[in-house]
């Protein structure tokens, strides 16, 4: 093969490299940062200013860091739910829609009963949101299990539908009558808001819920028999079938958990920093969470770290928009290149590069 | 009757972005590669084409630029998924996000600007027919897309290239052992898919609705992916599916014009809802999918 003389070859490692698995997200982050800074240079932006605003600022200024924590909550929640499915090879990419439906379900209470009071309101809203998200994901599960339709396409299409449902409510029945015709609901009452946990910031109790659920995900996926069954049910349906585990159940469970978590995140957004239902409740959290899940190695603890990183990229992007005049679309470019870099880096967990000269001398 | 005429005359143009992208994806999937980045590749092609036309480069250059950009972005996918054996689903999603980001970035200063589309060409005689006459008044890209459909159908039905593509998708091991460069063939198929998606985006942004708005592809890339499944990987059925979607996206407008009161959000959701329903119907027919499905679709292959 003459091609082997020019191109280095990939050789399978005897065992996957754990150190590369841990290093891969960091390498990907560095590579994506460098490529994107180069892009900003080409665009005529000052890369040093962008680097400062985007990468340093979120961590060195406390107001900025508190916003990072605020954004970590929804990303962590959604990504933990998605990762459980991805490990079972159920590719739910419709978290965006499940998030929106969760926000809608949660908003129903304060929109219909704006005068209600009591500490029960916000927990009820969160629960309603989680159920709404799970129901929406349940449609995908039904389509996948009963009709055998591809869950990637169905869940994505449902996200596009969910965005239209939101538009319909905000322009029609749920529009604030005193809102100067803006597409938004009434502002929610005080008891509809999740309590703040760090005074002087917008960080609220939903972050604690997210962390608690991350720990539960850890126990479920890494320690419980149920989590093991789920993973096997998705990875090797035939083998799992012989052992009495059902593929269908793995799909239902994966999607319901994913939808529940995303719906909860949506509810926490409207009952938290936003305080009403509006069009911009999600700035692509559902899609960003896919990247968070992969970057965290689909591991419940890894995802805790990757969600903080992703939240910082969001906040850093906002900072760079203000201080370095960087278009917000640059964040999406950064996210895409980050995931791609990570996936490429992950290749070297299983393979190593062998250059031509070595290959000729070697056993191959 | 007016509604029918309206749908018949606009259907092919509305179908063209779906058709071009789905045909490209078909070639890739036949070779065994699932590229989920179509939406992003279309978005990038759309932005590039719009910018070129806006600055007076003309439609030929615009389509060339969009096709080239689409092919390059898809080659990046091929490098990750085929060269480095990265997870195909995730790599496709990454390319999709990257393409949409680049599209928004490049198109930012062109928001709400318009360009001039293409003139329609009528087939003399046929275009004067009652009711169906409108079918024969289309722009040049629609005619070329029909020719591309026929060419791809012929390639798969009669040529060695088509056979080779299918062999690589059905049984890459066997194809490799008789000496065919499986990876190279797959890379070429993916690049062709990117080229077609780039054209599809270019058509959407500079001919069909020659106005720039961020996110203007609006799920059409994903519907194109679904169309390949609807068509059970057969060129002729994909063409019919694309026409159906072209008609669906016009039926709402026709209904509205006819005085039917429907919320605009329901009309906007119509293509997505139809996709979900048809996907359910087709997928539940296992025999149909097994008969024409691609055996090693999405499976990595390492020579």
């Amino acid at each position: 093969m003459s091609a082997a003389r020019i191109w280095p070859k990939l050789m399978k490692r005897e065992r996957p490299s754990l150190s590369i698995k841990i290093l891969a997200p960091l390498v990907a982050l560095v590579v994506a940062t460098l490529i994107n800074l180069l892009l900003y240079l080409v665009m005529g932006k000052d890369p040093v200013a962008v680097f400062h605003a985007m990468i340093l600022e979120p961590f060195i200024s406390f107001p900025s860091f508190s916003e990072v924590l605020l954004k970590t909550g929804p990303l962590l929640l959604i990504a933990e739910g998605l990762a459980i499915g991805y490990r079972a090879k159920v590719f739910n990419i419709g978290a965006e829609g499940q998030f929106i439906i969760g926000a809608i379900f949660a908003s129903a209470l304060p929109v219909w009963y704006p005068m209600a009071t009591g500490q029960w309101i916000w927990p009820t809203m969160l629960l309603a949101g989680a159920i709404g998200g799970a129901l929406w994901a349940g449609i995908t599960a039904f389509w996948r299990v009963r009709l055998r339709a591809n869950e990637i396409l169905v869940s994505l299409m449902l996200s596009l539908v969910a965005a239209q449902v939101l538009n319909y409510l905000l322009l029609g029945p749920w529009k604030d009558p005193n809102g100067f015709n803006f597409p938004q609901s009434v502002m929610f009452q005080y008891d509809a808001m999740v309590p703040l946990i760090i005074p002087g910031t917008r960080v609220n109790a939903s972050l604690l819920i997210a962390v608690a659920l991350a720990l539960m995900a850890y126990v479920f996926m890494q320690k419980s028999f149920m989590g093991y069954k789920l993973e096997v049910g998705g990875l090797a349906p035939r083998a799992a079938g012989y052992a009495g585990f059902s593929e269908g159940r793995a799909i239902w469970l994966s999607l319901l958990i994913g939808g529940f978590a995303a719906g909860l995140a949506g509810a926490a957004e409207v009952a938290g920093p936003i305080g009403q239902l509006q069009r911009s409740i999600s700035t692509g959290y559902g899609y960003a969470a896919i990247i968070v899940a992969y970057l965290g190695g689909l591991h419940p603890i890894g995802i805790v770290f990757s969600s903080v990183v992703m939240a910082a990229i969001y906040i850093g992007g906002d900072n760079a928009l203000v201080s370095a005049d960087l278009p917000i679309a640059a964040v999406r470019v950064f996210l895409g290149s980050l995931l791609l870099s990570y996936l490429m880096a992950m290749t070297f967990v299983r393979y190593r590069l062998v250059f031509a000269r070595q290959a000729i001398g070697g056993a191959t | 009757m007016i509604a029918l005429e309206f749908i018949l005359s606009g259907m092919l143009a509305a179908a063209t972005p779906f058709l071009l992208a789905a045909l490209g994806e078909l070639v890739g999937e036949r070779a065994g590669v699932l590229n989920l980045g179509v939406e992003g590749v279309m978005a990038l092609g759309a932005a590039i084409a719009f910018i070129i036309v806006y600055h007076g480069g003309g439609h030929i250059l615009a389509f060339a630029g969009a096709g080239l950009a689409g092919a390059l972005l898809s080659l990046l996918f091929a490098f990750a998924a085929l060269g480095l054996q990265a997870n195909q689903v995730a790599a496709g999603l990454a390319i999709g996000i990257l393409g949409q980001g680049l599209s928004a970035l490049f198109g930012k200063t062109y928001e709400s600007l318009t360009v001039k589309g293409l003139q329609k060409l009528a087939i003399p005689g046929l275009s004067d027919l009652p009711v169906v006459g409108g079918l024969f008044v289309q722009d040049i890209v629609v005619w070329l897309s029909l020719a591309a459909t026929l060419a791809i159908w012929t390639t798969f039905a009669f040529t060695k290239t088509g056979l080779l593509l299918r062999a690589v998708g059905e049984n890459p091991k066997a194809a490799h052992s008789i000496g065919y460069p499986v990876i190279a063939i797959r890379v070429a198929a993916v690049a062709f898919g990117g080229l077609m998606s780039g054209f599809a985006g270019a058509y959407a942004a500079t001919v069909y609705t020659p106005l720039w708005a961020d996110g203007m592809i609006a799920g059409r890339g994903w519907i194109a992916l679904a169309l390949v499944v609807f068509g059970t990987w057969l060129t002729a059925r994909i063409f019919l599916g694309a026409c159906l979607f072209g008609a669906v996206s016009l039926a709402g407008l026709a209904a509205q014009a006819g005085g039917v009161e429907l919320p605009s959000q329901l009309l906007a959701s119509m293509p997505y809802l139809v996709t979900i329903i048809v996907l359910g119907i087709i997928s539940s027919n296992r025999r149909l999918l097994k008969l024409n499905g691609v055996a090693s679709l999405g499976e990595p292959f390492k020579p």
Side-chain angles (χ1 to χ4, degrees), chain A residues 10 93 143 147-149 153-154 156-158 160 164 168 171 291 294 327 329 332-333 339-340 343 347 350-351, chain B residues 76 83-85 90-91 94 97-98 101-102 104-105 108 214 222-223 265 268-269 272 276 280 283-284 286 302:
Chain A
L10 288 176
I93 60 167
W143 245 249
L147 306 175
R148 304 204 153 260
L153 295 172
V154 174
L156 188 103
M157 287 294 142
L158 282 170
L160 300 176
Q164 295 297 334
Y168 169 73
L171 292 168
I291 301 172
Y294 276 108
R332 282 152 77 186
V333 174
L339 179 56
L340 203 61
L343 294 169
T347 300
R350 287 172 298 132
Y351 297 97
Chain B
L76 188 60
L84 291 178
Q85 312 271 316
I97 296 169
L98 185 60
L102 288 172
L105 196 62
K108 190 179 168 264
D214 184 24
W222 289 102
I223 293 177
Q265 292 83 15
S269 312
Y272 315 137
I276 293 170
S283 305
S284 59
R286 293 314 283 164
K302 180 133 185 4

Side-chain angles (χ1 to χ4, degrees), chain B residues 2-212:
Chain B
I2 296 169
L4 185 67
E5 264 177 68
F6 170 75
I7 290 173
L8 280 180
S9 64
M11 184 178 73
L12 286 176
T16 296
F18 297 119
L19 180 63
L20 287 171
L23 286 176
E25 179 67 16
L26 168 72
V27 171
E29 289 196 15
R30 270 288 186 200
V33 190
L34 179 68
N35 179 2
L36 290 180
V38 181
E39 178 86 6
V41 176
M42 275 180 80
L44 178 64
I48 302 250
F50 188 90
I51 292 168
I52 293 176
V53 174
Y54 186 80
H55 291 291
H59 278 85
I60 294 177
L61 197 62
F63 273 74
L68 184 69
L72 285 176
L73 188 59
S74 297
L75 281 174
L76 188 60
F77 164 79
F79 176 66
L82 303 175
L84 291 178
Q85 312 271 316
N87 179 333
Q88 252 176 52
V89 169
L93 292 175
I95 288 293
I97 296 169
L98 185 60
Q100 288 182 330
L102 288 172
S103 167
L105 196 62
F106 295 155
K108 190 179 168 264
T109 48
Y110 298 87
E111 192 70 30
S112 304
L113 295 178
T114 55
V115 293
K116 212 167 166 302
L118 284 175
Q119 253 185 343
K120 303 224 174 213
L121 308 171
I123 295 185
L126 290 174
S127 56
D128 299 327
L129 291 173
V131 187
V132 294
L135 262 179
F136 304 98
V137 188
Q138 305 291 344
D139 59 70
I140 181 80
V141 185
V142 171
W143 296 125
L144 289 175
S145 305
L146 295 180
T149 311
L150 199 63
I152 287 172
W153 180 78
T154 314
T155 303
F156 280 123
F158 299 116
T159 71
K160 201 181 161 210
T161 313
L163 202 62
L164 202 59
L165 280 168
R166 288 166 64 171
V168 162
E170 283 303 314
N171 195 338
K173 262 191 200 138
H176 176 70
S177 63
I178 52 174
Y180 288 115
V182 173
I183 298 291
I185 293 169
R186 287 187 166 181
V187 169
V190 168
F192 178 78
L195 179 83
M196 294 293 276
S197 294
F199 288 161
Y203 185 80
T206 66
V207 183
Y208 188 60
T209 39
L211 169 145
W212 185 255

Side-chain angles (χ1 to χ4, degrees), chain A residues 67-90:
Chain A
E67 288 293 299
V68 171
L69 288 179
L70 182 70
K71 283 240 191 285
T72 300
L75 290 168
L76 177 57
L77 268 174
I78 304 170
E80 291 285 359
L82 291 180
I84 290 174
Y86 292 173
R87 281 171 65 160
K89 289 254 189 290
V90 178

